[in-house]
Structure formats: structure tokens, C-alpha cells
Amino acid sequence: MSLNSSRVHELPADEAAVYRRLDPERLPHHVAIIMDGNGRWAGKRSLKRFFGHQQGAEAVQYVVETASRIGLPWLTLYAFSLENNLRRPKTEVNFLMRLLRTYLSNNVQRMNDNNVRIRYIGRTEDLPVEVRERMQWAAEATRLNTGTTLTLALNYGARSELVDAFRSLCAETQRTGLRPDDIDESDIHRHLYTAHMPDPDLLIRTSGEMRVSNFLLWQIAYTEIYVTGRLWPDFRGIHLLEAIEDYQRRERRYGGLSDGTESDDVASLPANQLVAGR
Ligand code: FPP
């Protein structure tokens, strides 16, 4: 399906050059990003980690605007994990909370200019009240925008999301008499924080780590993964487009065969040529 690309002319020249190499018929619908490397970015410059986070917040806005210009419907960013909340020094957690509030205050106008709607996933009810209030304000102020939906994962962990989903599904089974044997994948999906969203087509991770860090574990079952060594504060719209270009070179098989591959005629093989396999 071709996406709304009517604002492509607003891309800076270098991004436009990469965009022209893309197949507009095969753009992803949903890109999720694990933004990593803020601390290393600062360390390389002998700066405190806070500067890395600050620069990371700037990078967020660049990427959001490129996403909106190419008409990407869904962009989900891992901004603050449950583990960040539990395992980082209080001073860093407080700084990240302040940064989030500042980011929202400073960028809602730009989100509106770019037709971006902001939403959140995670155990956001456990965030400080002044952060929740600003989040709610930003969501309300951008509610009617119809371009990119920017979802920030905040105080998010995929295993906790599954726990919350199963709790709510169990409550439903008690209320409605839904029988365990009748539960299928769509019932789980309905109770996830992401029930209203398509699964990501592409997951990007910055700073070179080869792990998924408890992010969207259910939803990325068939997602293409792209890891770049670039640290998040250096990530820009052009790098999003390069990741999409790489994605377009992949063949998504969802456990099936490549197009045009003929299945082996297993029935005609002698029994001793059949070996156990996965
Ligand atoms: C990882 O860097 C990044 C985070 C802790 C989360 C991402 C936060 C931001 C991009 C800043 C603010 C975001 C918004 C939406 C305003 P790290 O500290 O783990 O880096 P390191 O692995 O190099 O130490």
C-alpha cells in the first residue's frame, strides 16, 4: 500500500536523495526504535551522561519530523524502560523525567505543525504526577492529528506488558465466562498496550547492541531487525531512511517459503533420505 507522501518535498536534500531510492509501495507502516548510546556519546566527549540524554532528545525530534514527512503512520520509541527506572541512579531518573517534560512542552507545537499525534505505552501510572500531567496535556493537544502516531514507551517492559495483558484477560474470562480453550492470539493482542496498533515491520536499535532488551516481545515476532553502530544522539532522519532502505532489501517470509520456491516432493523421497529437522 502506498502511504501518504505528500510532504516528501519538505525533506532536506540529503534525505530526499535516499528517499528517491525507496520503493514508495513498500514503506513500512510501523517502525519501532530502541534508542541506545546516550551515555557512550557523552563519555566519548568527556561529558556527563546528562548531555547525552539531552542530545538524544534533540535526535528524537529530527526523526519524528522525517517520519511525518514520509507519511510513516506509526513510530514507537523506547524512551524509558522499567529497568531504567529501577536500576539507574535517582539523579539520572529525575533528569530523564525533567527532560521528558521539557521535550513535551517544547515540541507540541512542532508536532501539531507536522500533524503528529502523541501517545504512550507502559506503566505510566507509576510516573511522577507532574510528568503524567504534561503527558496528558501533550496527548490532548495533539489528539486530532492524523499523520504519524508517535508512541513513547515510558516505564515500559514487555514482560510486564504481558503480565498486565494476562491479568486483564483473566478478569475478562471471569466476567464473561470465556473458556481457556477458546482463547487465541487475538485475545492476547486485545489486552496488550498496543491493541490499537499494527505490529512493527521494522525494529531499529542504535549503538550496536544485539539484543531486544524487553521491548515489544510479543509484537516483534515477525519484525525485521536493523542494528546500527551509530549512537542515538547522532541518529537523524537520513539514518531512518537508510534503515528503511535496508528493510526493503529483505524478504519477509513469516515462516513460509520464498516467492517462487517450489516445495520438495517429500512423498517421492526414499524413507532413508528423510532426516529429522526443525
Ligand atoms: C539509552 O542511553 C537511552 C535511554 C535511557 C532512553 C532514551 C532517552 C532519550 C533519547 C532521551 C529523552 C527522550 C525523550 C523522548 C525526551 P544509555 O544511557 O543507555 O546509553 P549507554 O548505553 O551508552 O550508557
Side-chain angles (χ1 to χ4, degrees), residues 74-267:
W74 303 92
L75 175 68
T76 300
L77 304 179
Y78 203 4
F80 186 62
S81 69
L82 269 173
E83 290 75 16
N84 291 156
N85 200 1
L86 297 174
R87 302 205 182 124
R88 300 224 171 178
K90 199 80 203 123
T91 46
E92 183 164 339
V93 170
N94 290 342
F95 181 83
L96 283 167
M97 291 297 104
R98 233 183 37 234
L99 189 60
L100 175 62
R101 283 167 56 201
T102 309
Y103 170 79
L104 294 174
S105 301
N106 292 350
N107 287 290
V108 155
Q109 183 58 50
R110 286 173 71 168
M111 285 179 205
N112 281 334
D113 294 344
N114 283 280
N115 199 17
V116 170
R117 167 175 73 155
I118 189 162
R119 288 184 173 178
Y120 316 97
I121 53 171
R123 290 191 174 161
T124 54
E125 65 278 11
D126 295 333
L127 294 173
V129 63
E130 62 279 10
V131 176
R132 281 186 280 131
E133 281 171 3
R134 197 72 56 95
M135 287 163 57
Q136 212 175 341
W137 165 78
E140 185 55 34
T142 60
R143 184 172 59 91
L144 297 177
N145 293 335
T146 54
T148 301
T149 298
L150 166 65
T151 303
L152 296 184
L154 293 165
N155 209 30
Y156 175 90
R159 288 184 172 185
S160 320
E161 177 182 27
L162 290 171
V163 169
D164 290 347
F166 296 151
R167 282 182 183 157
S168 131
L169 182 54
C170 284
E172 183 188 317
T173 57
Q174 284 170 354
R175 231 178 22 250
T176 63
L178 178 67
R179 293 179 323 150
D181 279 354
D182 292 333
I183 293 174
D184 60 19
E185 290 183 11
S186 71
D187 293 305
I188 312 262
H189 174 84
R190 279 191 299 109
H191 288 271
L192 295 171
Y193 306 149
T194 54
H196 58 287
M197 297 158 69
D199 289 343
D201 303 294
L202 172 63
L203 171 68
I204 299 172
R205 179 164 188 147
T206 60
S207 93
E209 311 288 352
M210 297 288 189
R211 46 177 183 265
V212 292
S213 298
N214 202 17
F215 190 42
L216 301 175
L217 296 182
W218 174 278
Q219 297 87 338
I220 61 171
Y222 291 104
T223 298
E224 295 295 327
I225 299 181
Y226 175 90
V227 177
T228 167
R230 191 174 297 280
L231 304 176
W232 176 255
D234 290 328
F235 199 88
R236 295 289 177 271
I238 191 168
H239 306 120
L240 171 68
L241 296 171
E242 284 169 359
I244 293 175
E245 188 178 23
D246 187 272
Y247 161 86
Q248 290 196 338
R249 285 195 287 265
R250 317 265 183 100
E251 181 196 10
R252 302 186 75 188
R253 306 215 313 247
Y254 302 95
L257 297 174
S258 303
D259 283 351
T261 304
E262 284 189 25
S263 190
D264 290 335
D265 181 7
V266 177

Side-chain angles (χ1 to χ4, degrees), residues 35-40 49 53 56-57 79 84 88 99 103 232:
M35 307 182 288
D36 192 17
N38 295 350
R40 270 162 284 177
R49 297 175 56 77
H53 293 317
N84 291 156
R88 300 224 171 178
L99 189 60
Y103 170 79
W232 176 255

Side-chain angles (χ1 to χ4, degrees), residues 39-60:
R40 270 162 284 177
W41 184 93
K44 277 184 166 182
R45 292 161 178 78
S46 307
L47 296 170
K48 293 217 180 294
R49 297 175 56 77
F50 301 129
F51 288 99
H53 293 317
Q54 220 158 27
Q55 209 54 40
E58 300 274 324
V60 166

